[in-house]
Amino acid sequence: MQLYGQCGRTEEESGASSLRRSLPCIDLRGYTKWLAALILFVMTSSIFAQPASAHMNTLGYSNIQVEQGGLIYEIELDLQEVAQWMDVRSGGVFILGGGNQPPEGEVAWTQDELRSLIEESLIVEGEGQAAELATIDDIRIVERNDTGYLHMLLGYDFAEAADDYSINYNFFFDMDANHQNFAAIRMGEASKDIVFTNGQQVAAGEITAEGSSSTTVELPGWAVTAWNYLVIGVQHIWFGIDHLLFILALVLAKLRPWDYVKVLTAFTVGHSLTIALAALDIVRLPSSFVEPFIALSIAYVAVENIFRKQVNRRWLIALLFGLIHGFGFAQVLQESPVDSIVLALISFNVGVEIGQLSVLAVVIPLLLWLRRFKKVYTYSNAVISGGIMLFGLFWFVIRVI
């Protein structure tokens, strides 16, 4: 089968047979605009299927102290998610900000309203029996990375002294399937770090009088932590549409194979450095700066793809913008109550790299194949880069407002 030219060439001319039938051929030259438009349509449809914020999820944080008589659960939930939950359940309208808002730092909901949220979304058991939500204290609003969180201190009493416990976390998954809650569970000297997700809603373990624990998962605590944060790193790429578009924009320009290696290495070095600096709280930038800058970096690289015939030193652009994207990645880790922050940091970074490489393993071969058809590649580059530029500018505006 031929893709360009020689349409109409006979099998006799090709020496294959004496039959004078024309070989099938596909001439793409007349369809370049349509193909580029189709690519843009598919890309646009997938982007609009994502949340407007372009990030994968809302976050929450938990510190849990387990004893044989019960547990103390310190929890922080995204303020906007709480407001949305209250709005959906009650049919009311809750305004966060404005003239009717309580004084700064106070909470708009009563303890009874919050109890309904907690009892529907959090089930604690000891020895297989439901624990009683005895107290709801220290209700206040706190701020993490420019985001408001509802802080609560919950006290649960087991029906009797328990040898095992379980926690079923089900906050907000009906509204945000990608919601995550970073939790540190402690029993005396022992501790473990987990992440509650839509696919991992239950944490359980055995309690001993000495305060040691053995989890129901037959893995050491460090392995559970490493696996959880590796998966989060992968998901942060796969479901973080802004990071995906930036990576696509980087490699969309016509580069030599060695240049692809330099670009990807530079981006990895850049974001790995700032992930470490930010997660370890050595350097911190406000998300009000980082998020708009990430959006602008996407738009800038897309503009280069459209208007520069020859893209030089793309690796340098990847390195510089990678530094900023690293701060965006690190926001997942900065406030996590993990005890093994270095392990979580390494695992998360490895997950980010696996996510990137898995995407590029599909994208780069496709781009190399598409480059065989110059006109198709030229139109596709212009159309896709134009779409990426528009989304970058759109995200910049909504993140600044």
Side-chain angles (χ1 to χ4, degrees), residues 220-265:
W222 66 265
V224 174
T225 298
W227 174 253
N228 282 336
Y229 281 88
L230 186 144
V231 171
I232 291 170
V234 173
Q235 292 176 336
H236 202 70
I237 291 295
W238 286 356
F239 300 105
I241 191 66
D242 50 354
H243 297 302
L244 275 179
L245 287 189
F246 182 75
I247 294 169
L248 176 59
L250 280 178
V251 301
L252 195 57
K254 193 169 184 179
L255 303 173
R256 295 169 297 180
W258 175 242
D259 289 333
Y260 285 120
V261 175
K262 290 197 295 184
V263 165
L264 299 179
T265 301

Side-chain angles (χ1 to χ4, degrees), residues 166-230:
S166 71
I167 300 168
N168 190 321
Y169 179 100
N170 194 34
F171 284 94
F172 311 137
F173 293 128
D174 57 338
M175 299 185 298
D176 177 8
N178 294 315
H179 172 74
Q180 297 172 341
N181 187 287
F182 296 85
I185 303 177
R186 299 180 175 88
M187 266 178 285
E189 299 296 324
S191 68
K192 65 176 179 177
D193 304 311
I194 69 167
V195 183
F196 290 114
T197 66
N198 201 13
Q200 179 177 289
Q201 299 179 14
V202 177
E206 295 179 359
I207 310 170
T208 66
E210 291 76 21
S212 61
S213 69
S214 59
T215 66
T216 55
V217 180
E218 294 299 324
L219 287 173
W222 66 265
V224 174
T225 298
W227 174 253
N228 282 336
Y229 281 88
L230 186 144

Side-chain angles (χ1 to χ4, degrees), residues 57 131 164 175 186 213 237 305-306 316 333 365 372:
N57 57 277
D164 61 63
M175 299 185 298
R186 299 180 175 88
S213 69
I237 291 295
N305 291 343
I306 297 171
L316 183 58
L333 296 177
R372 296 167 56 191

Side-chain angles (χ1 to χ4, degrees), residues 71 73 117-126 129-131 156 165-171 196 201-203:
L71 60 83
Y73 198 126
L117 165 65
I118 296 162
E119 290 181 342
E120 181 174 324
S121 307
L122 189 65
I123 300 174
V124 177
E125 294 182 349
Q129 300 182 56
Y156 285 90
Y165 74 94
S166 71
I167 300 168
N168 190 321
Y169 179 100
N170 194 34
F171 284 94
F196 290 114
Q201 299 179 14
V202 177

Side-chain angles (χ1 to χ4, degrees), residues 52-56 145-147 236 242-243 285-298 324-332 334 391-392 394-400:
S53 66
H55 276 94
M56 55 173 277
N145 288 318
D146 299 334
T147 300
H236 202 70
D242 50 354
H243 297 302
L285 292 179
S287 61
S288 57
F289 168 80
V290 172
E291 295 301 325
F293 198 97
I294 288 175
L296 279 183
S297 72
I298 296 169
I324 298 298
H325 280 251
F327 285 107
F329 292 137
Q331 288 173 3
V332 174
Q334 277 178 324
F391 281 108
F394 169 71
W395 286 327
F396 173 75
V397 171
I398 65 173
R399 291 175 184 184
V400 168

Side-chain angles (χ1 to χ4, degrees), residues 278-356:
L280 297 173
D281 210 19
I282 297 172
V283 178
R284 179 173 292 205
L285 292 179
S287 61
S288 57
F289 168 80
V290 172
E291 295 301 325
F293 198 97
I294 288 175
L296 279 183
S297 72
I298 296 169
Y300 174 82
V301 175
V303 168
E304 268 202 345
N305 291 343
I306 297 171
F307 295 105
R308 294 193 64 175
K309 292 183 179 180
Q310 187 67 34
V311 177
N312 298 317
R313 297 187 178 180
R314 176 54 63 89
W315 67 268
L316 183 58
I317 294 296
L319 175 64
L320 294 176
F321 287 154
L323 293 170
I324 298 298
H325 280 251
F327 285 107
F329 292 137
Q331 288 173 3
V332 174
L333 296 177
Q334 277 178 324
E335 305 290 349
S336 303
V338 294
D339 292 323
S340 307
I341 184 62
V342 174
L343 176 61
L345 169 62
I346 294 172
S347 302
F348 177 78
N349 202 38
V350 170
V352 167
E353 299 313 317
I354 293 174
Q356 287 180 176

